[in-house]
Amino acid sequence: MASRSLLTSSILRHQSRTLVRGRSAFARFYSEQRYENILTSRPDPGVALITLNRPKALNALSTAHFRDILSALNDADADEKVGAIVLTGSEKAFAAGADILEMKDKTYADAYGNNFLSNWEDLKKIRKPIIAAVSGYALGGGCELALSCDIILASPTAKFGQPEINLGVIPGGGGTQRLTRAVGKARAMELMLTGRMFNAQEAERWGVVAKVVEEGEGKVLEEAVGMAKAIASKGRLAVMATKEAVNAAYEMPLTEGLRFERRLFHGLFATNDQKEGMAAFAEKRKPNFTDS
């Protein structure tokens, strides 16, 4: 327990220093890449941490902000040392929505002609698991960003919602599809047609989030980093195959999904990690995966 508290303190301390001193590089936590709207760090060699950093806008997702997030996700996905990714915001807001000031004067010709928000589909291309650590507001685009992640952990302070109906539009980053798959048609209709927020406990009860963590500043981030470390300790090929198979369950009929799962299962028998994992089990020792 003490080591977990030290991890939390270390993460928060480094984030705080970065916010105060700008994007200075110190220790081994921070990557060389610099972004305008996010912070990137390594709380563990196998874990990439991406922190949304537009505090004055409650982390509202502008085009430039989302571009930074995608770039950092792609960098982490391509990094052989990274086994899992954590995406988080501040204690007050994960992301309080899309940037309305950026959108309010858009025309149909502009939105349709330039395929506005189409790059949100690029989130599906990230092969490594993404854990969203959510505190405070996750509304509109912020809720959609969290729903695009593979696992959501929530602080008791978390507030989710798709309030686009109050702006005369509908969700445009996947909310009508992902939230409906998570909570079912009737509840999704109620939430999106009224625009009401729902809390962390409701989100856990409905299966939107995997877990509501204990109260306390930084606790949800601590839990997310701990989970990411556990995932990063597994064989990367099996982790990516698991993510691919689970995501396929939402898009395939059961018969096709079972066939797809079986083919991925068969394919892993061609890896060194399968040989090592099963040998380690038989020999009652810890496996040494080589991601090959």
Side-chain angles (χ1 to χ4, degrees):
M1 203 56 192
S3 63
R4 289 172 67 80
S5 296
L6 286 172
L7 173 62
T8 304
S9 299
S10 179
I11 293 169
L12 292 173
R13 183 169 61 253
H14 283 288
Q15 286 183 323
S16 176
R17 286 185 195 168
T18 303
L19 288 167
V20 172
R21 294 166 51 183
R23 311 239 191 293
S24 8
F26 56 89
R28 62 182 177 80
F29 286 79
Y30 285 81
S31 67
E32 295 180 1
Q33 178 67 52
R34 298 293 178 265
Y35 296 98
E36 185 69 27
N37 303 289
I38 61 173
L39 306 174
T40 58
S41 58
R42 294 291 171 83
D44 180 83
V47 177
L49 173 60
I50 301 170
T51 304
L52 279 59
N53 187 36
R54 293 188 72 209
K56 291 181 180 179
L58 293 179
N59 290 329
L61 298 167
S62 65
T63 298
H65 195 186
F66 191 75
R67 191 182 301 123
D68 280 354
I69 294 168
L70 269 182
S71 178
L73 285 171
N74 279 306
D75 286 347
D77 205 34
D79 191 329
E80 293 181 357
K81 295 179 181 178
V82 172
I85 305 164
V86 175
L87 183 63
T88 194
S90 67
E91 288 293 319
K92 192 171 184 179
F94 176 73
D99 194 327
I100 306 303
L101 295 179
E102 180 184 65
M103 293 193 294
K104 69 182 183 66
D105 295 324
K106 280 189 178 294
T107 64
Y108 170 77
D110 181 16
Y112 179 74
N114 291 300
N115 210 5
F116 184 48
L117 299 187
S118 61
N119 59 342
W120 279 66
E121 296 178 21
D122 292 340
L123 289 167
K124 296 192 303 183
K125 298 176 183 178
I126 305 300
R127 301 181 70 196
K128 293 172 182 175
I130 307 170
I131 303 170
V134 179
S135 293
Y137 296 110
L139 304 176
C143 186
E144 290 170 310
L145 180 60
L147 289 168
S148 297
C149 295
D150 301 298
I151 301 169
I152 304 175
L153 299 181
S155 162
T157 66
K159 300 282 187 184
F160 300 88
Q162 300 288 168
E164 289 85 352
I165 197 77
N166 298 320
L167 302 174
V169 292
I170 69 170
T176 62
Q177 305 304 302
R178 291 191 174 92
L179 188 58
T180 302
R181 283 167 168 76
V183 304
K185 177 184 174 182
R187 186 164 283 128
M189 285 287 192
E190 182 253 324
L191 292 171
M192 284 184 270
L193 290 175
T194 64
R196 84 166 177 90
M197 291 187 289
F198 55 99
N199 61 33
Q201 291 71 29
E202 288 175 301
E204 183 181 40
R205 193 161 64 244
W206 299 338
V208 175
V209 307
K211 181 180 180 181
V212 178
V213 307
E214 62 182 291
E215 292 185 23
E217 183 178 356
K219 289 294 184 182
V220 69
L221 181 55
E222 175 186 348
E223 190 87 17
V225 170
M227 183 178 289
K229 285 177 64 177
I231 293 171
S233 72
K234 314 300 182 186
R236 304 282 162 79
L237 298 176
V239 166
M240 290 190 293
T242 300
K243 172 173 174 171
E244 188 175 1
V246 172
N247 284 333
Y250 284 91
E251 300 185 8
M252 290 183 177
L254 179 59
T255 301
E256 291 303 314
L258 290 171
R259 183 179 293 112
F260 182 69
E261 174 193 82
R262 201 157 49 246
R263 292 294 176 258
L264 287 174
F265 173 71
H266 292 163
L268 289 169
F269 279 80
T271 68
N272 293 322
D273 280 353
Q274 175 268 328
K275 302 296 182 292
E276 169 63 13
M278 293 190 177
F281 178 84
E283 296 164 15
K284 295 183 170 57
R285 60 175 175 82
K286 185 177 180 180
N288 180 28
F289 294 120
T290 57
D291 308 324
S292 61

